[in-house]
Amino acid sequence: MKSNPRAILYLADNCMFSSLEVDYLDVLSFHRNNGNLDITDATSKYYRGDSDLLNGILKSKGINFIPFEQVEFEDYDYIVAYYGVSSLEICIQDELRLRDLIINSLKDPDSIKDDRYKSFTVNRLDCLSKNAYAELSDCGINESKIIPCTLLCNPDFSIDKFIKLRKNPPTILANNCFGRYTYFSLGIPFYSPFVNITLNAREHIKLLENPRHFIENGRLVFAGMRDLKTRDLNSGQGLSQPLQNSENESQTKLIPTAYLETDTDRVLIYCNHYSTFEDFEKVWNRRKKRINYDNIIGVLTTESSEYLERFSRLSYPKLCFLRDDQIGNLVIDAPEFEQGIVRVNYSMFVKFNQKFYGPLGRGIPDNDFMTVSNNVGMRSFPFYKLLEFVTSGKLVFTDNIHQDLSLSSYLAKMVWG
């Protein structure tokens, strides 16, 4: 009988141990109990194992801490890279305080009086932005053995799917930030330039119908600074001219926009999270090189059903979030799920997030349907099996929504935090 793959948990330089205790050890226990990974040990290059409290917490979950210098990584099939934080306000405050202490200590080592923080203060400033994945790679660990901690927040995780994901990563073509959050969930780089941007539904469905033509043959052209609040995310009407600066400019958010145009057509892109067109162009060209045309996934978010027929005819894996507030007390209704179409009652969706995530749900606007797919991307509503979708193209409903919510709550806290 084949034994379960053996793994060791690596605690990152910048991880928050409180989040490990509150959320993530239960994630590890889930996968151990389900035979996915046998996680028996933990280590860290920076934590020295001198906390009886943390060591006791690890032992309560059947995990033994081993100093980094004593670890024989070849004895393990995989290393789980834990780079978690907690969004609990007290933990965020502690983390900020810790970072201030580190920075100040580099200027004045004698300023640190708290022994708990002294081990964090030597040559650490350049490590603050690193996560465990980068730390392990820097230590010469084979990347094929490193499992990002966020990946285990998906209940349908398996080693087979992990291997498939590495060999054939998805390129997500979404018209909002769904791809960005999904890549966070998968713990992999952005294999798509469609990150931190917005397209309206009319423009995006046109691109989805012929993605290689637009991406490979298209050129980016600056389309002016426009007000993000005036975008029509469904029809695209009224967007042909750049918005001129107005007397109420203080109440607007002017962002760069760009045309991705070929010799015969063009689509308009709102560069939401970029200060200048030049910044967006550099990032676009860099991520464009990572595109995997063997695993394209199309994602459309819209409040108009006008484009559903065209969307359903797309031949590659796809997912459409359509606003439909006529479905009673359901958050989602998916009669066309096999076609990749999910109908969403937005008001119920907002209530759902507030119920399960409390303070984390604050800030979800009651008039911006784009937040639906963004939240699904960060797994705060894991109604389908993400890894099955990105590795096989099959959309499958989750088996146990409450179990999946419990497992993904850590990830949602990490992303929102």
Side-chain angles (χ1 to χ4, degrees):
M1 182 176 179
K2 184 179 179 181
S3 60
N4 298 331
R6 189 180 179 207
I8 185 170
L9 176 67
Y10 178 82
L11 306 175
D13 170 27
N14 63 350
C15 75
M16 288 300 296
F17 294 143
S18 53
S19 180
L20 178 73
E21 173 190 1
V22 172
D23 302 301
Y24 201 69
L25 289 180
D26 289 336
V27 174
L28 302 184
S29 297
F30 172 87
H31 289 293
R32 175 192 289 169
N33 294 337
N34 283 273
N36 293 322
L37 282 175
D38 187 15
I39 304 169
T40 57
D41 302 309
T43 191
S44 173
K45 191 175 180 180
Y46 301 101
Y47 168 64
R48 310 311 300 173
D50 51 6
S51 167
D52 293 337
L53 176 61
L54 177 59
N55 293 344
I57 292 169
L58 290 170
K59 286 183 178 179
S60 71
K61 298 294 184 178
I63 298 175
N64 180 51
F65 183 84
I66 304 175
F68 186 82
E69 301 81 16
Q70 300 177 21
V71 175
E72 299 290 343
F73 284 103
E74 59 269 20
D75 292 342
Y76 300 91
D77 299 299
Y78 297 97
I79 300 96
V80 176
Y82 178 76
Y83 41 89
V85 297
S86 173
S87 65
L88 298 174
E89 290 186 10
I90 183 69
C91 297
I92 291 177
Q93 292 169 2
D94 283 348
E95 182 181 22
L96 293 175
R97 183 159 62 102
L98 174 60
R99 289 170 184 250
D100 287 341
L101 285 168
I102 294 171
I103 294 171
N104 290 334
S105 70
L106 294 176
K107 300 176 182 177
D108 182 11
D110 294 332
S111 67
I112 303 300
K113 304 301 182 183
D114 192 330
D115 289 338
R116 290 183 304 161
Y117 296 120
K118 283 187 177 179
S119 63
F120 288 89
T121 61
V122 181
N123 298 324
R124 298 289 299 287
L125 189 59
D126 62 333
C127 298
L128 287 177
S129 62
K130 286 186 176 181
N131 62 37
Y133 197 99
E135 290 174 19
L136 288 166
S137 298
D138 289 346
C139 293
I141 304 298
N142 190 320
E143 290 191 359
S144 65
K145 295 181 64 173
I146 302 174
I147 299 177
C149 62
T150 53
L151 195 61
L152 294 182
C153 294
N154 294 282
D156 64 325
F157 168 85
S158 70
I159 292 299
D160 287 343
K161 290 175 183 174
F162 168 67
I163 294 173
K164 288 181 180 178
L165 181 65
R166 284 193 58 86
K167 290 183 176 179
N168 192 28
T171 285
I172 300 171
L173 306 181
N175 63 327
N176 65 341
C177 287
F178 173 90
R180 168 191 178 188
Y181 289 120
T182 298
Y183 285 125
F184 285 162
S185 302
L186 298 174
I188 62 176
F190 297 151
Y191 284 90
S192 170
F194 287 77
V195 175
N196 294 329
I197 60 178
T198 301
L199 291 84
N200 64 60
R202 184 186 67 176
E203 305 277 275
H204 193 55
I205 192 65
K206 183 165 55 175
L207 184 144
L208 291 177
E209 288 173 335
N210 199 351
R212 187 185 288 269
H213 168 71
F214 273 101
I215 296 173
E216 295 300 312
N217 300 323
R219 56 192 175 275
L220 290 176
V221 178
F222 181 53
M225 303 295 291
R226 302 173 188 246
D227 185 357
L228 183 64
K229 297 178 182 179
T230 65
R231 58 184 176 169
D232 184 338
L233 297 176
N234 295 303
S235 69
Q237 297 297 321
L239 298 177
S240 59
Q241 296 297 324
L243 182 78
Q244 301 299 319
N245 293 353
S246 65
E247 294 180 358
N248 283 330
E249 185 172 329
S250 61
Q251 299 178 8
T252 67
K253 180 182 179 181
L254 296 178
I255 60 171
T257 61
Y259 286 118
L260 179 61
E261 60 181 32
T262 67
D263 293 337
T264 58
D265 208 345
R266 69 183 184 182
V267 295
L268 179 65
I269 299 174
Y270 282 81
C271 312
N272 300 29
H273 300 283
Y274 299 91
S275 300
T276 67
F277 168 77
E278 289 74 19
D279 290 343
F280 166 67
E281 186 177 33
K282 290 178 183 178
V283 173
W284 173 277
N285 290 331
R286 184 176 73 247
R287 293 174 179 159
K288 175 181 173 181
K289 297 176 182 177
R290 302 177 188 158
I291 291 176
N292 178 13
Y293 286 104
D294 292 328
N295 190 9
I296 292 286
I297 294 177
V299 179
L300 176 68
T301 303
T302 181
E303 298 184 43
S304 171
S305 60
E306 178 182 352
Y307 308 102
L308 288 191
E309 183 179 352
R310 290 167 61 183
F311 183 84
S312 64
R313 291 199 298 265
L314 298 176
S315 59
Y316 48 82
K318 54 191 180 295
L319 185 59
C320 176
F321 298 90
L322 174 68
R323 180 162 184 163
D324 184 353
D325 293 339
Q326 307 302 314
I327 56 177
N329 293 324
L330 297 174
V331 178
I332 66 167
D333 187 22
E336 303 145 299
F337 194 63
E338 291 184 359
Q339 295 179 320
I341 298 170
V342 178
R343 298 180 182 273
V344 183
N345 184 320
Y346 185 60
S347 61
M348 293 299 298
F349 181 89
V350 173
K351 292 179 181 178
F352 176 90
N353 276 270
Q354 291 173 341
K355 175 181 178 181
F356 280 94
Y357 294 99
L360 294 175
R362 67 175 181 262
I364 298 180
D366 57 8
N367 59 352
D368 185 1
F369 186 64
M370 281 291 189
T371 58
V372 171
S373 49
N374 285 346
N375 279 262
V376 171
M378 69 175 70
R379 310 304 289 152
S380 66
F381 187 32
F383 67 88
Y384 73 104
K385 297 183 178 182
L386 173 61
L387 292 181
E388 182 68 28
F389 183 46
V390 299
T391 58
S392 73
K394 298 178 181 178
L395 273 170
V396 180
F397 279 115
T398 183
D399 299 320
N400 185 332
I401 185 67
H402 291 284
Q403 167 194 281
D404 288 22
L405 282 168
S406 175
L407 211 61
S408 64
S409 64
Y410 159 79
L411 179 61
K413 289 179 181 180
M414 177 175 159
V415 174
W416 265 316

